[in-house]
Amino acid sequence: FTGMVTLVLLILFASRGKHSFETLHRQHFRMVILERTLRARAEFELSQRQGRGPRQDVDCNETVEEAELATLGTVSVFDRIESGEDRLTSLRHLTRIGLKEHWLIDSTHLQVDPGQ
């Protein structure tokens, strides 16, 4: 008789634990869905706003052309360099974008290999 009671209690506790685990798992899944929904909405709103009006993170000292280049990114700058439009100005804009985005390597960190 005690073996049967122990078995029933074990089954009840196991099912209660499984139920609690499943409830917790569903709550976490709901949070992931909410986060992804919010991210998708934010990305959609951002994509809708691009191209409309000035960017809010543009430096006040920049010219309109510099702000436009910062908005369009490096693709636009490289296109201008390849087309032959004022290469020096385009390279300056590219340098500014690189400094803002932290991918430009400082010239003090470069070394010329004398063997070549």
Side-chain angles (χ1 to χ4, degrees):
F1 179 73
T2 59
M4 183 67 120
V5 172
T6 305
L7 181 63
V8 169
L9 288 176
L10 183 64
I11 292 172
L12 287 175
F13 287 136
S15 71
R16 178 68 179 140
K18 178 75 172 166
H19 176 74
S20 297
F21 177 76
E22 184 68 27
T23 303
L24 183 64
H25 183 69
R26 287 180 184 208
Q27 288 173 350
H28 285 272
F29 186 68
R30 193 175 305 129
M31 287 173 29
V32 168
I33 290 173
L34 178 62
E35 178 186 341
R36 288 184 181 176
T37 303
L38 290 174
R39 184 180 305 152
R41 284 183 185 161
E43 289 175 359
F44 176 74
E45 288 177 13
L46 180 64
S47 70
Q48 294 298 312
R49 290 182 186 175
Q50 283 182 336
R52 292 189 203 162
R55 283 179 49 151
Q56 294 179 0
D57 62 341
V58 172
D59 185 8
C60 294
N61 296 326
E62 287 182 332
T63 65
V64 173
E65 186 176 315
E66 289 171 343
E68 179 185 90
L69 286 173
T71 302
L72 297 175
T74 55
V75 173
S76 172
V77 176
F78 282 115
D79 287 344
R80 288 182 182 203
I81 291 172
E82 288 178 2
S83 70
E85 290 182 36
D86 194 9
R87 290 185 182 184
L88 184 59
T89 304
S90 295
L91 287 173
R92 285 185 185 140
H93 293 308
L94 186 64
T95 302
R96 286 190 181 141
I97 292 171
L99 289 172
K100 282 183 181 180
E101 295 179 358
H102 305 288
W103 52 258
L104 184 67
I105 300 172
D106 190 37
S107 61
T108 59
H109 295 236
L110 298 176
Q111 260 184 337
V112 177
D113 187 6
Q116 292 185 354

